[in-house]
């Protein structure tokens, strides 16, 4: 059966146009002053958690490991980015971009560092190693006050995280990860999730791909961390504890592991919901935990399962209906 | 002399970690779940003991109530939250456990306020110090270490010599095969949770005697350390959990005594990572063969 297919360059152009439209409209709304300070900070926070959830999804959903130290990578990136911005080496747009790249690369280096011991370990032991690294990073930040500001925090970070910047980063993160997962590298990573031994015997370099997935995951967590610093203007080590890692993991699992759309939706819901429920005050966290247990019992694979949204697919379906209307198929 | 008193100190802390770690390890051995709510069961035990003593009950009754409360709570959690997920992916079970942990912490915060309550440790174990050839040892230390040894001996007897212990070992080896041989798997799982929770109940009293503060989030830190201890010893292994608990307790005391108390948590995790790099399944863990 011939299905109507949109050529790849057209698909990418359609998506790029939609993203650009979203960014411009969003930016116009945000700068028009229609949205208050509190709400706009939520909007930016949502974007940062989207990057974190989508990046963790690479290691959890696609590679099939269970990292419990994502906040550690985020912390490394946050401090690296903030220190770069504070150093005042550059200014303007190059400064912003260079800071984000510094943050990402530093976090990715740590990802490699953690990925290498991961070769020897499986499953839950890997989880513990990442948990341990996350805690060590936090303890190190507390104990090196001359560089990181210690427990009171690192202050006066330039507030670069505007709507346009953070959502552009979201779009770039999703595009990069999507393209990576559709390439042969992505398929190799997926094969490790399905069965490591079988993948290895098919000639896939398990070491290389595990470390690759880990460092990509860490890179974007680092970028998100830098944006986080750029949003708050101050970084305190307490923001990057074990519970912060868990919070990101919850987003990924609740959204559905291996579904980018799920991660994005869950990040938006779980970041915005507690603020929307502020009137409920002390019952807020109880509702949150009940929601978590409830969703897991009723739908263990997460809200979206492994479903992913594809604009091109929707257009193809619609287009297919138009073009094939009563004429029995469309020749390619 | 300082060395010996620190050694006793470390053994005391280690006994507490070991007792909590046993709960993690037993549950992991049987359903492959990292039971994040275990630390919060400990917290519940602390609160029950606190309120029982404040209500004027005798210490023995208060301790029994705390242990009983932990057991009931843990079995209830297993029945309500974990048993519907027997066939689900393991990560869903893990997230459920995290959800239960958050729920317990927040319920405690709602009912008992977020602030710490001071625990009347004196009415359970009087403050007494014994001087044995120049080394000062508190009664609490002695009781803690002895209680840990007795409960571990009892647990070892239970697992190795009784019928239910045999069933537990069978289920952890292969749940499906055990079921075919007539073992009631659900009952064994509940029993494992109950046994782990009883140890956590004892552990909570001993922990509160050492750090006499009860707060809704008090379970998180000893929970995490005990969890590390269980992994250190090889998760799923009962002697491993005991060894891991003592090792982590001694390390922590040593690092603190050497004046690096702010680095203590980092160093404990560093040692854990080194051990796992040399021996990937912990000190006493069994390595599993994997088939395609």
């Amino acid at each position: 059966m011939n299905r109507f297919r949109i050529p790849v360059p057209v698909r990418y152009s359609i998506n790029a146009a939609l993203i650009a439209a979203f960014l411009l409209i969003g930016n116009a709304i945000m700068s028009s002053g229609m949205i208050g300070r509190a709400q706009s900070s939520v909007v930016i926070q949502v974007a940062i958690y989207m990057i974190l959830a989508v990046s963790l999804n690479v290691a959890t959903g696609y590679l099939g490991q269970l990292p419990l130290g994502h906040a550690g990578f985020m912390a490394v990136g946050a401090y690296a980015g903030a220190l770069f911005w504070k150093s005042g080496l550059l200014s303007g747009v190059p400064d912003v971009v260079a800071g984000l790249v510094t943050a990402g690369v530093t976090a990715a280096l740590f990802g490699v560092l953690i990925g290498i011991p991961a070769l020897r370990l499986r499953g839950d032991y890997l989880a513990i190693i990442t948990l341990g690294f996350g805690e060590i990073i936090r303890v190190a930040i507390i104990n090196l006050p001359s560089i990181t500001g210690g427990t009171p925090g690192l202050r006066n970070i330039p507030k670069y995280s505007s709507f346009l910047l953070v959502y552009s980063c979201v779009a770039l993160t999703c595009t990069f990860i999507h393209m990576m997962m559709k390439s042969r590298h992505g398929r190799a990573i997926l094969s490790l999730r399905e069965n490591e031994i079988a993948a290895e015997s098919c000639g896939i370099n398990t070491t290389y791909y595990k470390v690759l997935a880990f460092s990509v995951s860490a890179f974007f967590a680092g970028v998100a961390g830098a944006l986080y610093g750029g949003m708050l203007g101050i970084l305190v080590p307490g923001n990057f504890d074990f519970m912060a890692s868990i919070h990101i993991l919850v987003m990924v699992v609740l959204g559905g592991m291996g579904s980018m759309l799920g991660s994005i939706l869950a990040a938006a819901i779980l970041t915005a919901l507690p603020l929307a429920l502020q009137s409920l005050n002390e019952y807020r966290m109880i509702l949150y935990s009940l929601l978590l247990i409830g969703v897991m019992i009723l739908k263990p694979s997460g809200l979206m399962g492994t479903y992913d949204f594809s604009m091109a697919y929707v257009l193809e379906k619609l287009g297919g209906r138009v073009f094939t209307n009563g004429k029995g198929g469309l020749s390619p | 002399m300082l060395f010996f008193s620190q050694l006793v100190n470390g053994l005391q802390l280690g006994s507490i970690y070991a007792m909590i770690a046993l709960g993690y390890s037993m549950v992991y051995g049987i359903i492959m779940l990292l039971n994040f709510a275990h630390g919060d069961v400990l917290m519940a035990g602390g609160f029950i003991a606190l309120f029982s003593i404040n209500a004027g009950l005798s210490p023995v009754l208060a301790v029994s109530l705390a242990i009983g409360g932990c057991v009931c709570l843990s079995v209830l959690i297993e029945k309500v939250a974990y048993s519907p997920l027997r066939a689900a992916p393991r990560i869903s079970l893990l997230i459920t456990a995290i959800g239960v942990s958050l729920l317990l912490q927040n319920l405690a915060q709602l009912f008992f306020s977020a602030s710490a309550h001071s625990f009347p440790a004196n009415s359970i174990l009087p403050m007494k110090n014994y001087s044995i050839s120049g080394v000062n040892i508190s009664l609490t230390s002695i009781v803690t270490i002895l209680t840990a040894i007795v409960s571990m001996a009892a647990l070892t007897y239970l697992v190795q010599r009784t019928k239910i212990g045999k069933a537990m070992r069978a289920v952890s080896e292969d749940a499906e095969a055990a079921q075919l041989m007539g073992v009631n798997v659900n009952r064994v799982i509940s029993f494992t949770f109950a046994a782990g929770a009883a140890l956590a109940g004892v552990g909570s009293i001993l922990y509160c005697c050492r750090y006499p503060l009860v707060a809704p989030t008090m379970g998180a830190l000893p929970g995490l350390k005990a969890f590390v201890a269980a992994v250190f010893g090889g998760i799923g292994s009962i002697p491993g959990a005991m060894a891991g608990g003592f090792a982590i307790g001694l390390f922590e005391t040593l690092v603190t005594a050497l004046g690096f108390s702010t680095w203590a948590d980092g160093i404990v995790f560093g040692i854990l990572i080194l051990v796992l790099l040399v021996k990937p399944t912990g000190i006493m863990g069994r390595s599993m063969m994997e088939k395609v």
Side-chain angles (χ1 to χ4, degrees):
Chain A
M1 211 181 110
N2 292 314
R3 197 158 67 86
F4 173 70
R5 291 189 68 89
I6 301 173
V8 172
V10 182
R11 290 169 174 230
Y12 278 89
S13 330
I14 293 175
N15 286 336
L18 285 173
I19 290 167
F22 168 77
L23 286 176
L24 290 177
I25 295 170
N27 195 37
I29 294 174
M30 292 294 284
S31 52
S32 69
M34 265 156 42
I35 293 168
R37 272 180 73 89
Q39 279 92 338
S40 64
S41 103
V42 174
V43 171
I44 287 174
Q45 214 171 328
V46 164
I48 292 170
Y49 277 104
M50 280 177 181
I51 302 177
L52 286 168
V54 169
S55 64
L56 181 63
N57 196 16
V58 174
T60 314
Y62 299 136
L63 185 65
Q65 299 292 354
L66 179 59
L68 293 176
H70 211 54
F73 295 133
M74 183 188 171
V76 170
Y79 278 91
L83 290 171
F84 183 88
W85 284 335
K86 272 173 73 98
S87 70
L89 277 176
L90 300 167
S91 61
V93 178
D95 186 34
V96 177
V97 176
L100 291 179
V101 172
T102 310
V105 170
T106 318
L109 284 177
F110 277 79
V112 173
L113 250 177
I114 298 173
I116 289 169
L119 313 175
R120 282 180 62 79
L121 299 170
R122 280 164 201 277
D124 296 320
Y125 289 97
L126 179 77
I128 310 303
I129 286 261
T130 51
L131 191 164
F133 265 106
E135 287 293 296
I136 289 174
I137 288 169
R138 194 173 59 85
V139 171
I141 290 171
I142 292 173
N143 284 291
L144 298 170
S146 54
I147 306 168
T148 61
T151 315
L154 191 65
R155 285 161 195 283
N156 302 326
I157 302 162
K159 290 197 173 184
Y160 284 137
S161 300
S162 63
F163 176 86
L164 203 57
L165 178 70
V166 288
Y167 279 90
S168 307
C169 287
V170 173
L172 285 175
T173 307
C174 294
T175 312
F176 180 88
I177 290 174
H178 176 79
M179 287 168 82
M180 184 181 83
M181 292 316 296
K182 291 287 168 191
S183 72
R184 63 189 300 245
H185 304 288
R187 288 193 297 276
I189 291 171
L190 286 179
S191 75
L192 286 184
R193 175 185 73 185
E194 297 307 325
N195 192 321
E196 206 175 313
I197 295 172
E200 196 169 10
S201 49
C202 292
I204 285 166
N205 186 343
T206 53
T207 307
Y208 173 76
Y209 282 109
K210 260 191 195 175
V211 175
L212 177 76
F214 253 92
S215 32
V216 166
S217 175
F219 179 90
F220 288 109
V223 171
L227 292 172
Y228 186 73
M231 173 186 80
L232 293 178
I234 175 171
L235 289 171
V236 283
N239 288 345
F240 305 106
D241 61 357
F242 174 57
M243 277 322 289
S245 302
I246 292 293
H247 193 60
I248 306 166
L249 181 68
V250 163
M251 288 175 184
V252 174
V253 179
L254 201 71
M257 282 197 300
S259 162
M260 194 182 278
L261 175 70
S263 298
I264 292 175
L265 282 182
I269 295 170
L270 289 184
T271 312
L273 191 70
L275 291 147
L277 294 177
Q278 211 138 43
S279 54
L280 291 170
N281 229 337
E282 62 258 41
Y283 297 99
R284 192 164 57 115
M285 282 306 290
I286 293 175
L287 269 178
Y288 174 85
S289 44
L290 284 175
L291 175 87
L292 208 59
I293 302 170
V295 170
M296 283 299 114
I297 290 178
L298 298 175
K299 198 158 184 329
S301 58
L303 291 173
M304 290 288 143
T306 51
Y307 170 78
D308 247 332
F309 177 74
S310 156
M311 194 69 213
Y313 183 75
V314 173
L315 289 178
E316 279 167 6
K317 278 273 168 198
L318 291 173
R321 205 167 293 157
V322 173
F323 286 110
T324 56
N325 201 4
K327 287 174 194 155
L330 179 90
S331 53
Chain B
M1 288 308 104
L2 184 71
F3 174 76
F4 282 105
S5 59
Q6 288 298 344
L7 185 71
V8 173
N9 206 359
L11 283 176
Q12 182 194 356
L13 192 60
S15 320
I16 300 172
Y17 287 157
M19 291 219 270
I20 309 168
L22 281 168
Y24 278 107
S25 218
M26 282 159 62
V27 165
Y28 186 89
I30 234 154
I31 56 169
M32 306 282 280
L33 162 72
L34 298 174
N35 183 12
F36 270 98
H38 196 61
D40 302 291
V41 170
L42 179 100
M43 174 270 295
F47 270 106
I48 296 171
L50 172 73
F51 290 127
S52 319
I53 290 173
N54 285 352
L57 299 178
S58 75
V60 178
L61 194 59
V63 170
S64 326
L65 273 177
I67 297 170
C70 284
V71 169
C72 293
L73 181 66
S74 199
V75 171
L76 183 76
I77 292 170
E78 194 274 319
K79 286 277 172 234
V80 174
Y82 301 157
S83 69
L85 285 160
R86 285 285 145 73
R90 281 180 46 214
I91 189 149
S92 312
L93 199 57
L94 182 81
I95 300 291
T96 313
I98 293 169
V100 172
S101 163
L102 286 175
L103 181 67
L104 290 180
Q105 278 180 24
N106 287 294
L107 281 177
Q109 219 161 74
L110 182 66
F111 290 128
F112 314 130
S113 93
S115 54
H117 306 248
S118 78
F119 186 81
N122 262 324
S123 54
I124 290 185
L125 287 171
M127 286 288 265
K128 242 189 231 170
N129 278 314
Y130 297 97
S131 182
I132 302 165
S133 60
V135 182
N136 259 330
I137 300 171
S138 69
L139 179 67
T140 318
S141 303
I142 298 171
V143 172
T144 303
I145 296 169
L146 287 180
T147 315
I149 292 170
V150 169
S151 13
M152 285 175 207
L155 183 74
T156 311
Y157 176 80
L158 181 85
V159 173
Q160 298 295 336
R161 294 270 182 268
T162 62
K163 201 171 173 192
I164 185 91
K166 206 178 205 172
M168 279 164 71
R169 282 181 287 144
V171 173
S172 84
E173 197 73 38
D174 187 335
E176 214 166 310
Q179 193 156 28
L180 292 173
M181 298 316 233
V183 175
N184 184 342
V185 173
N186 279 327
R187 191 193 290 164
V188 171
I189 293 174
S190 298
F191 184 79
T192 309
F193 271 89
L199 288 169
V202 180
S204 80
I205 306 286
L206 298 174
Y207 187 78
C208 289
C209 287
R210 186 181 165 116
Y211 303 106
L213 283 176
V214 181
T217 51
M218 67 173 269
L221 199 62
L224 196 63
K225 297 266 178 65
F227 171 49
V228 169
V231 177
F232 188 84
I235 195 152
S237 145
I238 289 176
M242 298 175 191
F246 283 114
I248 296 289
L250 285 171
F251 279 141
E252 199 185 316
T253 317
L254 180 73
V255 172
T256 312
L258 290 176
F260 298 104
S261 56
T262 51
W263 282 97
D265 292 355
I267 291 174
V268 166
F269 278 108
I271 292 169
L272 174 78
I273 290 173
L274 285 180
V275 168
L276 287 185
L277 286 182
V278 180
K279 202 151 181 332
T281 50
I283 316 176
M284 296 185 190
R286 284 179 304 170
S287 60
M288 297 241 218
M289 285 295 287
E290 212 178 319
K291 285 184 196 159
V292 181

mmCIF file of all heavy atoms in Angstrom, chain B residues 48-61:
data_model
loop_
_atom_site.group_PDB
_atom_site.id
_atom_site.type_symbol
_atom_site.label_atom_id
_atom_site.label_comp_id
_atom_site.label_asym_id
_atom_site.label_seq_id
_atom_site.Cartn_x
_atom_site.Cartn_y
_atom_site.Cartn_z
ATOM 1 N N ILE B 48 5.631 7.117 66.507
ATOM 2 C CA ILE B 48 4.783 6.285 67.374
ATOM 3 C C ILE B 48 5.417 6.176 68.765
ATOM 4 O O ILE B 48 4.740 6.350 69.787
ATOM 5 C CB ILE B 48 4.577 4.887 66.748
ATOM 6 C CG1 ILE B 48 3.818 5.024 65.434
ATOM 7 C CG2 ILE B 48 3.818 3.982 67.704
ATOM 8 C CD1 ILE B 48 3.738 3.746 64.633
ATOM 9 N N ALA B 49 6.734 5.936 68.790
ATOM 10 C CA ALA B 49 7.416 5.829 70.083
ATOM 11 C C ALA B 49 7.306 7.136 70.855
ATOM 12 O O ALA B 49 7.016 7.150 72.059
ATOM 13 C CB ALA B 49 8.881 5.459 69.861
ATOM 14 N N LEU B 50 7.513 8.252 70.158
ATOM 15 C CA LEU B 50 7.451 9.576 70.797
ATOM 16 C C LEU B 50 6.092 9.803 71.450
ATOM 17 O O LEU B 50 6.000 10.161 72.628
ATOM 18 C CB LEU B 50 7.713 10.651 69.744
ATOM 19 C CG LEU B 50 7.515 12.091 70.183
ATOM 20 C CD1 LEU B 50 8.647 12.515 71.092
ATOM 21 C CD2 LEU B 50 7.430 13.015 68.986
ATOM 22 N N PHE B 51 5.009 9.542 70.669
ATOM 23 C CA PHE B 51 3.682 9.829 71.212
ATOM 24 C C PHE B 51 3.301 8.851 72.306
ATOM 25 O O PHE B 51 2.645 9.227 73.270
ATOM 26 C CB PHE B 51 2.635 9.835 70.089
ATOM 27 C CG PHE B 51 2.799 11.033 69.184
ATOM 28 C CD1 PHE B 51 2.903 10.894 67.815
ATOM 29 C CD2 PHE B 51 2.870 12.313 69.729
ATOM 30 C CE1 PHE B 51 3.067 11.996 67.001
ATOM 31 C CE2 PHE B 51 3.041 13.423 68.922
ATOM 32 C CZ PHE B 51 3.140 13.269 67.545
ATOM 33 N N SER B 52 3.745 7.588 72.179
ATOM 34 C CA SER B 52 3.415 6.620 73.225
ATOM 35 C C SER B 52 4.061 7.024 74.542
ATOM 36 O O SER B 52 3.429 6.959 75.594
ATOM 37 C CB SER B 52 3.904 5.213 72.860
ATOM 38 O OG SER B 52 3.672 4.950 71.530
ATOM 39 N N ILE B 53 5.309 7.458 74.485
ATOM 40 C CA ILE B 53 5.989 7.831 75.725
ATOM 41 C C ILE B 53 5.381 9.107 76.298
ATOM 42 O O ILE B 53 5.130 9.199 77.500
ATOM 43 C CB ILE B 53 7.499 7.994 75.477
ATOM 44 C CG1 ILE B 53 8.104 6.620 75.199
ATOM 45 C CG2 ILE B 53 8.187 8.620 76.681
ATOM 46 C CD1 ILE B 53 9.524 6.663 74.777
ATOM 47 N N ASN B 54 5.085 10.055 75.390
ATOM 48 C CA ASN B 54 4.469 11.288 75.882
ATOM 49 C C ASN B 54 3.086 11.030 76.463
ATOM 50 O O ASN B 54 2.616 11.784 77.306
ATOM 51 C CB ASN B 54 4.374 12.317 74.758
ATOM 52 C CG ASN B 54 5.732 12.922 74.474
ATOM 53 O OD1 ASN B 54 6.695 12.670 75.210
ATOM 54 N ND2 ASN B 54 5.828 13.692 73.423
ATOM 55 N N ALA B 55 2.400 9.956 76.006
ATOM 56 C CA ALA B 55 1.089 9.628 76.557
ATOM 57 C C ALA B 55 1.222 8.879 77.877
ATOM 58 O O ALA B 55 0.212 8.491 78.468
ATOM 59 C CB ALA B 55 0.303 8.783 75.553
ATOM 60 N N GLY B 56 2.459 8.656 78.318
ATOM 61 C CA GLY B 56 2.676 8.042 79.620
ATOM 62 C C GLY B 56 2.731 6.527 79.619
ATOM 63 O O GLY B 56 2.631 5.897 80.666
ATOM 64 N N LEU B 57 2.856 5.921 78.448
ATOM 65 C CA LEU B 57 2.962 4.463 78.406
ATOM 66 C C LEU B 57 4.360 4.041 78.854
ATOM 67 O O LEU B 57 5.305 4.835 78.800
ATOM 68 C CB LEU B 57 2.705 3.954 76.991
ATOM 69 C CG LEU B 57 1.334 4.254 76.396
ATOM 70 C CD1 LEU B 57 1.246 3.728 74.984
ATOM 71 C CD2 LEU B 57 0.239 3.626 77.247
ATOM 72 N N SER B 58 4.464 2.781 79.258
ATOM 73 C CA SER B 58 5.776 2.316 79.709
ATOM 74 C C SER B 58 6.689 2.158 78.504
ATOM 75 O O SER B 58 6.218 1.924 77.385
ATOM 76 C CB SER B 58 5.623 0.975 80.433
ATOM 77 O OG SER B 58 5.404 -0.029 79.475
ATOM 78 N N PRO B 59 8.014 2.288 78.703
ATOM 79 C CA PRO B 59 8.949 2.202 77.574
ATOM 80 C C PRO B 59 8.805 0.903 76.786
ATOM 81 O O PRO B 59 8.849 0.927 75.555
ATOM 82 C CB PRO B 59 10.312 2.280 78.246
ATOM 83 C CG PRO B 59 10.084 2.938 79.542
ATOM 84 C CD PRO B 59 8.697 2.621 79.957
ATOM 85 N N VAL B 60 8.603 -0.214 77.498
ATOM 86 C CA VAL B 60 8.498 -1.501 76.800
ATOM 87 C C VAL B 60 7.307 -1.483 75.847
ATOM 88 O O VAL B 60 7.396 -1.870 74.678
ATOM 89 C CB VAL B 60 8.352 -2.663 77.808
ATOM 90 C CG1 VAL B 60 8.205 -3.984 77.080
ATOM 91 C CG2 VAL B 60 9.537 -2.683 78.750
ATOM 92 N N LEU B 61 6.174 -0.963 76.366
ATOM 93 C CA LEU B 61 4.967 -0.899 75.553
ATOM 94 C C LEU B 61 5.188 0.039 74.363
ATOM 95 O O LEU B 61 4.792 -0.267 73.233
ATOM 96 C CB LEU B 61 3.806 -0.396 76.432
ATOM 97 C CG LEU B 61 2.411 -0.586 75.820
ATOM 98 C CD1 LEU B 61 2.157 -2.057 75.544
ATOM 99 C CD2 LEU B 61 1.361 -0.017 76.746
#
